Amino acid sequence: MNRLKKAFLIALSLSVLAGCSLPGLGGSGEDTIKVATTTSSETSILGHIIKLMIEQNTDLNVELVENLGSSIVQHEALTKGEVDITAARYTGTDLSGALGMDPIRDPDEALKTVQEEFEKQFKQKWYNSYGFADTYALTVTKALAEKENLETVSDIGRIAGDLKLGVDNSWLNRKGDGYDGFVNAYGFTFGQAFPMQIGLVYQAVKSGEMDVVLAYSTDGRLKAFNLETLEDNLQFFPPYDCSPVIRDDVLEAHPELDDILQKLVGKIDEKTMTELNYESDVLKKEPATVAKEFLEKNNYFE
């Protein structure tokens, strides 16, 4: 065998061996559960909570599929069988997104609808809420709120034309509960509206780069940056109660997962979730550490 041919065969063998070791190739084994999260600390913390709960109570392996770009991306991944569980799904988001329905303002009706439709359309189980809703909230600095006597969203209407609004990309163009729907409901527009990554809006309003931002009600940076959320007095924003979602075929193969996910129902209220987010986003603890400490404090809900 000449040296060139031998070198080629060695290189080919090494590439094949390397390829076999890469994560994701050939799919996960039947004893591995893939849990999906998006880019927020909140979903990452919840993903790690589920991971640790499964590992604590079963012999299954758990792989986190992290930083999926949006709720639609993780929905498609679950529907296509690329992941087994999505750690954090929000009623209002998936009503307008995955289901393409109009917003439902009543929290109980919204939850019942997504549970029924996800089972009917996708063969997926949407659990009852962890115990909190992470809704959108128009947010300003306490200094501006005090100067202009702002308490509700309607209060800001008289000065909105002079203000810069920072919002996440998806909300600005979303139908139903997006910016156009907001304008129709409240009857005013802002001077300028800038699409931003949701993680940047808090620093933007704190620094004065933006006057008003659309924040998440459980984000720990509200506390850290001394920000004030305005009451949605017309109840424009639909409920965003948070739950895990799992495919039916995964439950059929691993029925023990149902008991584990049921243990988390009602166990995390808004104050607790805000504190967990604060530990990650402000105190810079790793989401895995935040999740582990939370579960240890609660004895893994056993």
Side-chain angles (χ1 to χ4, degrees), residues 39-88:
T39 56
S40 72
S41 295
E42 181 163 287
T43 66
S44 184
I45 292 167
L46 293 170
H48 280 283
I49 286 174
I50 291 174
K51 178 179 186 292
L52 291 170
M53 285 287 288
I54 293 174
E55 291 174 343
Q56 174 79 2
N57 293 282
T58 75
D59 294 327
L60 295 169
N61 301 312
V62 182
E63 176 185 340
L64 285 183
V65 180
E66 301 186 90
N67 297 316
L68 297 184
S70 68
S71 61
I72 291 296
V73 172
Q74 68 169 346
H75 173 65
E76 290 179 352
L78 186 65
T79 302
K80 292 178 180 178
E82 295 168 352
V83 299
D84 303 306
I85 300 171
T86 46

Side-chain angles (χ1 to χ4, degrees), residues 26-34 60-61 84 250 253-254 256-257:
S28 59
E30 61 179 17
D31 292 330
T32 298
I33 300 299
K34 289 188 174 183
L60 295 169
N61 301 312
D84 303 306
V250 177
H254 303 285
E256 66 272 24
L257 293 177

Side-chain angles (χ1 to χ4, degrees), residues 114-141:
V114 294
Q115 288 178 329
E116 291 178 350
E117 290 301 319
F118 266 63
E119 182 59 46
K120 177 182 176 181
Q121 296 187 33
F122 310 119
K123 302 302 180 186
Q124 297 169 9
K125 180 170 181 176
W126 183 302
Y127 284 82
N128 288 339
S129 172
Y130 288 108
F132 73 92
D134 187 359
T135 189
Y136 281 120
L138 278 184
T139 303
V140 298
T141 61

Side-chain angles (χ1 to χ4, degrees), residues 138 151-154 186 229-235:
L138 278 184
E151 295 182 357
T152 70
V153 173
S154 290
Y186 274 98
T229 59
L230 303 178
E231 178 191 349
D232 179 19
N233 56 296
L234 297 184
Q235 296 183 323

